[in-house]
Amino acid sequence: RDRSPSRGLGDVYKRQVHIIRDVRDVTLSSQVAWGKDPVRNAQRWMDELSACRAWGASFGPQAYLELRYEDLVQDPRSAMRHVLAFLGEPWSEQVLRHQDSEVLLSEREASTDAVKAPVNLRALSRWRGQLSEDELRSMDARAEELLERLGYAV
């Protein structure tokens, strides 16, 4: 039985854009929102990210693009030009004004307010001063190599 990631995927899945966020901010967000243990969540992030990257590598660079969340919010114009070029779509200024779209969003979804807001830097590096030194040391010990490969300072 075929268990490959591409099994049964239609044309819509021929190109994947994978947005990657710093594990320290991911774990802080899940700790604040759901009370999840940051160190266990960091391990889960590493496991899932490694699996996604391996899956993406199986498709090759013409079909899989990684984009750091931090790059997207710090320079949305450049990041979205890159994404649209990868997808073979023309540039449109509208992608920089997603908050003006007519897309219906669930009021029950926790992230709806953030999706409705313009791109901003509020969620960047919130982990600084909020995660304990022990939590950071434990995360760094697990994720240091991967963080460095992704261009994050450790």
Side-chain angles (χ1 to χ4, degrees), residues 4-5 9 18 21 29-30 43 47 51 53 60 79 86 89 93 95 112-114 116 125 135 137-139 141 151:
S4 67
L9 297 180
H18 182 186
R21 188 174 178 204
S29 291
S30 64
Q43 184 63 52
D47 295 342
R53 295 184 90 207
F86 168 75
E89 295 293 329
E93 288 289 321
V95 300
T112 294
D113 288 342
K116 288 180 179 179
S125 300
E135 290 167 333
R137 267 193 301 278
S138 184
M139 280 185 228

Side-chain angles (χ1 to χ4, degrees), residues 34-154:
W34 301 290
K36 295 195 176 193
D37 176 77
V39 176
R40 285 184 51 207
N41 208 38
Q43 184 63 52
R44 181 176 178 189
W45 175 89
M46 275 188 46
D47 295 342
E48 290 179 358
L49 180 56
S50 295
C52 286
R53 295 184 90 207
W55 182 79
S58 73
F59 289 98
Q62 74 285 351
Y64 177 77
L65 174 69
E66 289 182 348
L67 175 65
R68 291 181 350 150
Y69 171 81
E70 295 79 8
D71 296 336
L72 174 63
V73 299
Q74 288 174 334
D75 188 359
R77 179 178 305 278
S78 176
M80 289 309 300
R81 281 189 184 278
H82 186 61
V83 168
L84 290 176
F86 168 75
L87 295 173
E89 295 293 329
W91 171 251
S92 169
E93 288 289 321
Q94 184 59 36
V95 300
L96 301 177
R97 295 185 308 276
H98 69 279
Q99 70 276 6
D100 298 334
S101 85
E102 299 295 322
V103 174
L104 296 176
L105 301 168
S106 170
E107 294 302 322
R108 293 184 292 167
E109 172 61 43
S111 64
T112 294
D113 288 342
V115 172
K116 288 180 179 179
V119 172
N120 62 72
L121 306 176
R122 286 190 300 263
L124 294 186
S125 300
R126 285 189 335 195
W127 59 269
R128 295 181 192 278
Q130 295 195 42
L131 293 173
S132 74
E133 288 300 317
D134 286 343
E135 290 167 333
L136 289 171
R137 267 193 301 278
S138 184
M139 280 185 228
D140 287 349
R142 287 175 167 79
E144 181 175 15
E145 183 180 327
L146 184 53
L147 284 168
E148 286 176 346
R149 274 193 310 226
L150 293 167
Y152 290 106
V154 179

Side-chain angles (χ1 to χ4, degrees), residues 11-17 62-65 85-89:
D11 288 345
V12 73
Y13 293 107
K14 288 196 176 173
R15 292 194 186 125
Q16 296 289 313
V17 177
Q62 74 285 351
Y64 177 77
L65 174 69
F86 168 75
L87 295 173
E89 295 293 329

Side-chain angles (χ1 to χ4, degrees), residues 20-32 34 38 41-42 45 70 123 127 131:
I20 299 171
R21 188 174 178 204
D22 186 318
V23 64
R24 295 159 291 197
D25 278 324
V26 170
T27 58
L28 178 64
S29 291
S30 64
Q31 181 184 39
V32 170
W34 301 290
N41 208 38
W45 175 89
E70 295 79 8
W127 59 269
L131 293 173

